[in-house]
Amino acid sequence: MSQGIVPAFDPATGASGGPAKAAATGYANIPWETVDLTDGSWTLTDPDSLVDVVTHAADFNKVVMNVLAAGSTDYAFGTSNVLRAPRWHKNLEASGVRVTTDDTFVAQFRMTKGSTVTEWNTEVVCAACVDPTNLASNLLDGVGGMIEYIASSNTGYGIWTVNAKSVSTSASNDSGITSTLTAGGRSQGGTYITLDSGGTNVAGGTRNAGNINVAATDMSLMVGVGTRGSSTITAGDDTNFKLEYRVLTFAL
């Protein structure tokens, strides 16, 4: 019977007990990046000039709107094949490197609704997407998190995929976390959990997507503000939200 050789010391240091274990590679407690729409890094696409003023304070973005007199689902991220709602976009990066559709990566989004002065029926999305300026939802090709609320009602958090959504609404909701996966040119939806003010789960859910992306294409981070369904907007209506994200890429 043969026997293996058991190391008795660490060849690098001479210490007894065999080689030292590999050091951690930094995958614990990965921080969030906070969205500041006023920091100069974002480009606004707003086909119908619905955005009036954007401000940022204490990590929250406040968007004051112009009038939308004729409501249409074309302004609803979670409903329509056509998306005319305003959206901000920038490069989607992991540690300063642009992410492409060929990469294997997880994108996570944490979203929190803030206080508003004059609410309107709103959808806010924060997502990874292929073409953020496109008005066709299947070419914009976005997957990420969503805040949804009806004026003076409970807030919903969940996941948005292309032109559909899965959202959980509760008086206990304080924030929502969404996680999405992309690999081999396919974005496959993801999962979400809503949290109360103490960080305890309230609800959760999943949504499938199966986006087949154009190969070798740079991806973008997008923040969009739209209507819930075909709601109208009165001039001066506002929405307020804190958005955080993080992107992790992996070797195959």
Side-chain angles (χ1 to χ4, degrees):
M1 180 178 67
S2 62
Q3 294 181 332
I5 299 174
V6 179
F9 63 92
D10 183 340
T13 64
S16 61
K21 294 182 179 179
T25 54
Y27 292 113
N29 299 317
I30 297 171
W32 295 96
E33 296 186 57
T34 302
V35 170
D36 177 358
L37 294 176
T38 68
D39 66 8
S41 67
W42 297 86
T43 299
L44 173 63
T45 295
D46 187 5
D48 299 309
S49 301
L50 292 179
V51 174
D52 184 12
V53 179
V54 181
T55 56
H56 182 86
D59 291 336
F60 280 81
N61 299 277
K62 181 178 179 179
V63 181
V64 180
M65 305 295 288
N66 292 317
V67 65
L68 176 63
S72 167
T73 56
D74 288 354
Y75 301 96
F77 283 92
T79 305
S80 182
N81 293 323
V82 177
L83 290 174
R84 299 190 63 83
R87 76 292 302 261
W88 296 259
H89 45 92
K90 63 190 292 186
N91 294 349
L92 182 67
E93 297 180 345
S95 298
V97 178
R98 185 81 180 262
V99 176
T100 78
T101 53
D102 291 346
D103 290 326
T104 298
F105 68 92
V106 170
Q108 293 187 320
F109 308 93
R110 181 164 65 182
M111 309 179 71
T112 306
K113 177 182 176 291
S115 299
T116 56
V117 177
T118 309
E119 287 191 341
W120 47 290
N121 299 338
T122 312
E123 292 178 344
V124 178
V125 297
C126 187
C129 67
V130 176
D131 184 359
T133 65
N134 210 297
L135 303 187
S137 58
N138 66 315
L139 297 178
L140 188 154
D141 219 359
V143 179
M146 173 178 276
I147 307 174
E148 178 189 71
Y149 58 92
I150 304 171
S152 303
S153 187
N154 296 331
T155 303
Y157 296 95
I159 186 169
W160 168 66
T161 59
V162 186
N163 65 345
K165 61 189 176 184
S166 178
V167 174
S168 179
T169 302
S170 171
S172 299
N173 283 346
D174 181 71
S175 63
I177 294 179
T178 302
S179 184
T180 67
L181 173 65
T182 296
R186 184 184 183 103
S187 296
Q188 193 58 46
T191 61
Y192 71 89
I193 296 172
T194 68
L195 304 173
D196 64 18
S197 58
T200 300
N201 77 90
V202 178
T206 64
R207 181 161 196 89
N208 199 17
N211 300 15
I212 306 302
N213 302 321
V214 178
T217 301
D218 288 338
M219 296 199 70
S220 296
L221 178 67
M222 186 191 74
V223 173
V225 174
T227 62
R228 184 181 184 274
S230 57
S231 299
T232 60
I233 303 173
T234 300
D237 286 354
D238 65 302
T239 182
N240 194 12
F241 47 83
K242 179 180 179 179
L243 305 178
E244 299 165 281
Y245 67 97
R246 52 193 174 195
V247 181
L248 290 80
T249 58
F250 304 91
L252 284 176

